[in-house]
Amino acid sequence: MAAHEEEEGGVAAGEAKSGVGTVAGPRQAPLAAPLVEYLLRLGDDRLILGHRMSEWTGHGPILEEDIATANIALDLIGQAAQLLKLAGEVEGKGRTEDTLAYFRDGVQFRNCLLVELPKGDFGDTMVRQFLFDAHSVLLWEALAGCGHAGIAGIAAKALKEDKYHLRHSSEWVVRLGDGTEESRARVQRSLDRLWKYTAELFAADEIDDAVAALGVRVDAAGLRARWDAMVNEVLARATLTRPAEGAAQRGGRRGRHTEHLGHLLATMQSVARAHPGATW
Amino acid sequence: MSSETSWPLWEVFTQGNAGEPFEHAGSLHATDAEHALQNARDVYARRGEAVNLWVVPSSAITASAPSDAGPFFEPGNDKAYRHPQFYKVPQGIRVF
Amino acid sequence: MTQTTVPQEDPALLAAFEARIAAGESIEPKDWMPERYRKQLTRMMAQHAHSEIVGMLPEGNWITRAPSLRRKMSLIAKVQDEAGHGLYIYCGTETLGVDRHDLFNQLLDGSAKYSSIFNYPTLSWADMGVIGWFVDGAAIVNQTVLAKASYGPYARAMVRICKEENFHKRQGFEICATLAKGTPAQKEMLQDAVNRFWWPSLMMFGPSDKDSPNSAELLKWRVKRKTNDELRQRFVNLTVPQAQAIGVTLPDPDLRYDAATKNWEFGEIDWSEFWDVVKGNGPCNVERLEARNAAHDAGRWVREAALAHAAKNARSVSAA
Ligand SMILES: [Fe+2]
Ligand SMILES: [Fe+2]
Ligand SMILES: [Fe+2]
C-alpha cells in the first residue's frame, strides 16, 4: 500500500517541472490574528469542558452532585459563549458564538487536550476539573487586570465562578483521595493518566507573545509556580502522589487533537448542522 | 436491598439580603459541614436567593411538640401590655 | 415500611384532625395524623419525587445536542431544576420519617411508580420544546393546586417548585414558537413532536375519576385539591389556544369548543396504552430504570468514599 503510493507520488513529482517551489508548503497552516487565536483557546477550553461536564446531568453519584455539576457546566458554557462572541467580534467576519461553536471542524478547535478527554468516572472528572480549575483561577486573576477591557471584564466575572469550582473540585479530590482504599486507588490512577495533559495548560507560544504586546500579559512562569503550590497542597491533603513529569501530550492549540474531540463535536453539532441557517 | 449508609441529613437556612433574618429553605444530604454548605449553595441558592447560608445537622434540631402548642404559645396571645398599642400617648405628641 | 394492619384510629383524634383540615390549617410533620394519611402522602410524594428524577433522563438525552449555546444552557438549567424538585420532595418525605435512600431503592428495583410520560422516548430537538410546553405545563396545573395541599412540607416544596416550573414551560414554549416560525423541516419536526406527546400528556393526570380509587379520600384530606378529570380539562383549555397561537394542530379529530361549558371537549383517551406504560411496558421503561441503576451503581464508591473521609476527619478532630 505504502510502496504503491510512493510510486505514484514519485511519478507525479518527476513530472512537475517547477518542483520545489509549488509543492513545498509551510509546516503548519497559518493561524488567525493573535487575539482571535487567544480568545478561541480560552473559549474552546471552556466550551468543551463544559460540554463534558454537562454529560453528567442526571447521571451523577447523588442528586446533590447532579445539581452541582450542572452549575459548573453552566458557568463554563456561559464563559465560553462570552469568549467566543468576543472572538467573533475581534475577527470581524460576522461569526457569532454559535457559528464558532457549531460550524467549525475539529482541527479548527483550539482547546487543550485535557478538556476533550471522555468524562470517565466521577474521579476522572473531578481530577481533571481540579487540575483545570487551579490553572483557570490563576489565569483569570492575571487577566482581570490586563490591558484589554473585554477580556478583563470576562475574567473578573469568571474568576468568581471558577473559585467556587476549584473549591468544589479540590474538596472532591481530597474526599476521594483520603476516602476508602478503593477510591484512593481509583483517583490516583486518574491523576496518573491525566498528568501528561497538564503541561499544555502552560505552554506559551508566539500567540501569547503577540497578545502580550496588546496588553494581555500573563506571567507564565509565576503562574506555573503558584499552580504547583496549589496542586501540591491539595494532593498532600488527599494523600495522593504527584506523578513525575514525563512526556507531555499537546497539540490542541494548533488543532492537533485526540480522536475523542471528533465524536464530541459530531454529537454536539448534529442538530445545528442538519439545519444550516435555521434559527433555534 | 443494599447495606449502604445514607449521607447525614442537614437543614439549610438562607438569608435573602444582608441584615434580614435567616429562613429555613429545606434540607439535603452531605457528609460534613463544608460539604453541606457547598451543596446548599448549589441546591438552595442557585437563583441568587441567598447572601448567607447556615447548615445544621437535622439531628441537632429540637422542635416543640404539637401538644406543646397550647401551653407554649397561647399564654403569649393575651398579653396586650407587651405591645406598644396598649399605651396611650397624649394627643399632639408626634414622636411615636 | 411497616407491614402492620391499618390501626383503628382514635375517633376523637381523627375528628380533631379532620376539623383542622376543614379549617384550612396545614399539617406539620410532628402533628398527629391518621396512618392512612401518612401512607397516602408518602406514596404520592414518592411518586412525584421519582417522576422528577426519572424526568431528567428524556431531556438529558438532548443536552449534548442542543443546537445553540443559549438553548444548551437553558436545557441544562431546566434538567438541573428537576433534580432539585426531586430533592425537595424527597426531603418532604423525610419529614414523615421515610429515608430517601429507602424510597430511592424502591425506584431502582422497579417497585415504585413514577409518571408514565417519562417512559416515552425523545426523538428530536422539538421534543425539548414540546415537553416544556406540555409536560411542564401539565405539571404546573397539577402543582399549583398541590401548593395548597394540607401537608405543610409538601405544600412548601410545591411553592418553590411552581416558581421554577414557570421557567420550564416558557423555555419550552419559546422553542416551539421558534420552530413554528422556522424552516419547513423545523415545522415538521415540531408537529411530529406535538403529535407524539399530546395524548401521553393528557394521561399524566391519571385515570379518569371513576377509575381512581384513592381520589375521594385524598380530596377529603386535601392531599389532592381537584380531581384528575378537572385538572385534565383545565390543561386542555389552557393549551388549545396556545397551539392555535403558534399554528400547530393537536392530534385529536374530536377536539371542539363547547360554548355552553366553555370547555374544549376532547376525544377518548386510550387507557389501554396508559395502563400498559404504568405496568412497565412503555417504550422506555426498561431503559429509564437501567439508566438510574447505572448511575447509582457507578456512584457507590464515590458516596462511600465521601462518608469514609468525613468519618476520618471527625476522628481526627475529636482526637485533637
Ligand atoms: Fe419538576
Ligand atoms: Fe413536577
Ligand atoms: Fe419542570
Side-chain angles (χ1 to χ4, degrees):
Chain A
M1 187 83 192
H4 180 68
E5 277 173 14
E6 203 177 313
E7 197 180 299
E8 279 189 346
V11 172
E15 282 172 356
K17 275 287 167 242
S18 48
V20 176
T22 52
V23 77
R27 284 177 185 267
Q28 284 175 334
L31 298 174
L35 196 53
V36 175
E37 284 288 334
Y38 191 75
L39 286 164
L40 289 177
R41 291 174 180 188
L42 290 175
D44 288 346
D45 276 356
R46 283 145 191 90
L47 174 61
I48 301 301
L49 187 62
H51 181 96
R52 283 294 188 214
M53 193 55 115
S54 80
E55 294 173 351
W56 279 100
T57 317
H59 304 278
I62 193 166
L63 271 179
E64 281 81 354
E65 208 49 43
D66 270 333
I67 299 174
T69 50
N71 263 355
I72 294 166
L74 283 169
D75 287 342
L76 290 168
I77 297 170
Q79 293 171 12
Q82 287 184 293
L83 291 159
L84 294 180
K85 181 170 187 279
L86 186 55
E89 286 165 6
V90 173
E91 185 191 49
K93 292 179 184 165
R95 294 203 284 182
T96 66
E97 62 272 35
D98 282 333
T99 341
L100 287 167
Y102 289 95
F103 292 93
R104 277 181 301 156
D105 291 333
V107 294
Q108 292 158 334
F109 272 74
R110 294 292 180 255
N111 57 279
C112 61
L113 304 183
L114 178 68
V115 298
E116 69 195 39
L117 302 173
K119 75 184 201 298
D121 69 15
F122 190 73
D124 294 328
T125 290
M126 283 303 127
V127 170
R128 184 231 314 258
Q129 192 66 39
F130 165 63
L131 297 170
F132 182 87
D133 290 342
H135 177 265
S136 196
V137 163
L138 296 171
L139 181 67
W140 291 137
E141 274 176 5
L143 291 178
C146 81
H148 186 286
I151 293 178
I154 294 171
K157 177 169 176 292
L159 175 60
K160 291 183 199 146
E161 296 171 343
D162 286 13
K163 273 186 175 168
Y164 181 74
H165 300 175
L166 177 62
R167 183 167 164 182
H168 176 265
S169 61
S170 60
E171 287 302 315
W172 267 114
V173 168
V174 171
R175 272 184 212 113
L176 296 176
D178 186 26
T180 62
E181 236 168 82
E182 182 194 359
S183 70
R184 186 175 183 287
R186 288 178 84 132
V187 85
Q188 181 69 54
R189 271 202 305 278
S190 307
L191 186 63
D192 293 344
R193 260 201 315 272
L194 292 169
W195 195 257
K196 62 175 176 288
Y197 296 98
T198 54
E200 191 174 21
L201 291 169
F202 304 95
D205 62 8
E206 71 267 31
I207 297 296
D208 297 272
D209 298 338
V211 297
L214 302 170
V216 185
R217 193 171 292 110
V218 176
D219 166 19
L223 197 151
R224 171 83 209 210
R226 291 178 64 200
W227 184 85
D228 279 335
M230 277 165 88
V231 167
N232 290 345
E233 186 266 326
V234 170
L235 293 186
R237 279 204 289 138
T239 68
L240 292 169
T241 308
R242 180 177 166 135
E245 301 299 331
Q249 288 294 328
R250 61 179 70 159
R253 305 297 186 209
R254 303 274 171 160
R256 302 291 181 261
H257 292 279
T258 67
E259 291 178 347
H260 303 294
L261 182 67
H263 295 282
L264 183 154
L265 294 179
T267 304
M268 186 177 96
Q269 299 175 334
S270 59
V271 177
R273 291 215 180 187
H275 305 268
T279 303
W280 300 100
Chain B
M1 177 170 175
S2 88
S3 57
E4 197 182 325
T5 318
S6 302
W7 290 359
L9 191 65
W10 298 72
E11 301 301 323
V12 178
F13 297 82
T14 52
Q15 185 185 39
N17 288 295
E20 285 179 2
F22 283 72
E23 272 181 33
H24 184 237
S27 44
L28 49 74
H29 290 266
T31 50
D32 57 35
E34 160 68 15
H35 194 194
L37 264 186
Q38 290 193 14
N39 287 347
R41 180 258 193 199
D42 289 321
V43 175
Y44 291 106
R46 66 182 183 281
R47 285 184 164 80
E49 298 98 325
V51 295
N52 272 307
L53 289 169
W54 286 347
V55 291
V56 182
S58 303
S59 58
I61 291 186
T62 309
S64 59
S67 55
D68 291 337
F72 267 45
F73 308 119
E74 276 168 27
N77 291 345
D78 64 352
K79 309 289 192 288
Y81 46 78
R82 288 206 175 96
H83 300 279
Q85 294 77 10
F86 185 74
Y87 303 94
K88 293 191 179 67
V89 174
Q91 290 215 330
I93 300 180
R94 307 222 33 161
V95 287
F96 298 94
Chain C
M1 306 239 92
T2 47
Q3 288 298 321
T4 49
T5 48
V6 181
Q8 200 59 44
E9 302 291 1
D10 179 332
L13 286 173
L14 184 61
F17 171 83
E18 292 191 335
R20 290 187 63 196
I21 300 259
E25 284 182 37
S26 80
I27 306 299
E28 293 301 325
K30 290 187 154 189
D31 295 356
W32 185 89
M33 61 188 86
E35 205 43 43
R36 288 277 302 157
Y37 178 85
R38 183 187 303 273
K39 270 225 169 87
Q40 290 284 20
L41 262 175
T42 309
R43 185 186 61 87
M44 224 175 109
M45 291 169 73
Q47 275 185 23
H48 192 164
H50 297 334
S51 302
E52 304 283 353
I53 300 312
V54 178
M56 298 172 78
L57 298 170
E59 288 176 285
N61 183 32
W62 284 84
I63 285 177
T64 54
R65 291 176 283 177
S68 76
L69 296 180
R70 178 168 175 263
R71 292 292 179 212
K72 197 183 192 72
M73 290 189 275
S74 308
L75 189 59
I76 295 170
K78 195 231 177 218
V79 178
Q80 177 191 44
D81 278 352
E82 306 300 2
H85 297 174
L87 198 153
Y88 309 151
I89 304 168
Y90 283 129
C91 288
T93 64
E94 283 175 301
T95 63
L96 289 166
V98 187
D99 193 333
R100 175 168 115 194
H101 196 74
D102 296 334
L103 290 180
F104 216 74
N105 280 335
Q106 291 166 16
L107 171 67
L108 296 175
D109 70 19
S111 62
K113 296 218 175 348
Y114 56 85
S115 181
S116 54
I117 191 81
F118 302 118
N119 288 316
Y120 290 86
T122 50
L123 302 180
S124 78
W125 170 252
D127 293 19
M128 298 306 99
V130 172
I131 287 179
W133 178 23
F134 286 176
V135 177
D136 292 90
I140 292 174
V141 167
N142 249 322
Q143 291 165 358
T144 311
V145 291
L146 286 174
K148 297 178 200 113
S150 58
Y151 186 57
Y154 193 27
R156 286 193 288 275
M158 282 309 120
V159 171
R160 180 176 275 272
I161 288 175
C162 280
K163 280 186 209 146
E164 301 181 354
E165 293 293 1
N166 280 323
F167 140 58
H168 299 176
K169 180 175 175 179
R170 284 181 74 122
Q171 67 91 32
F173 192 69
E174 190 193 87
I175 291 174
C176 294
T178 309
L179 293 174
K181 284 185 298 192
T183 65
Q186 285 178 303
K187 287 180 190 163
E188 197 179 312
M189 185 194 291
L190 172 64
Q191 185 63 58
D192 176 66
V194 166
N195 293 350
R196 279 182 287 113
F197 277 97
W198 175 249
W199 289 108
S201 299
L202 296 193
M203 294 176 201
M204 276 178 74
F205 295 92
S208 180
D209 297 335
K210 53 184 192 300
D211 303 317
S212 187
N214 297 323
S215 261
E217 192 177 48
L218 295 176
L219 287 167
K220 182 177 74 177
W221 285 338
R222 275 199 303 122
V223 175
K224 280 172 77 163
R225 303 297 311 271
K226 292 246 165 64
T227 70
N228 294 350
D229 287 334
E230 284 171 334
L231 292 170
R232 187 166 16 244
Q233 185 65 59
R234 181 170 161 67
F235 170 74
V236 173
N237 290 350
L238 283 171
T239 310
V240 171
Q242 293 163 349
Q244 289 171 317
I246 60 170
V248 296
T249 61
L250 297 170
D252 179 359
D254 298 325
L255 197 64
R256 60 170 193 91
Y257 188 69
D258 183 332
T261 60
K262 296 197 170 131
N263 282 331
W264 281 93
E265 305 284 344
F266 50 94
E268 197 58 42
I269 292 175
D270 180 359
W271 290 111
S272 66
E273 176 182 325
F274 172 75
W275 291 114
D276 248 10
V277 179
V278 169
K279 285 176 186 138
N281 303 317
C284 294
N285 292 59
V286 173
E287 286 84 348
R288 298 296 183 240
L289 280 193
E290 277 175 359
R292 287 310 330 159
N293 273 289
H296 190 73
D297 293 344
R300 178 166 292 116
W301 71 275
V302 176
R303 296 189 300 275
E304 287 172 353
L307 265 184
H309 176 71
K312 281 185 196 175
N313 263 359
R315 267 200 302 281
S316 68
V317 167
S318 61

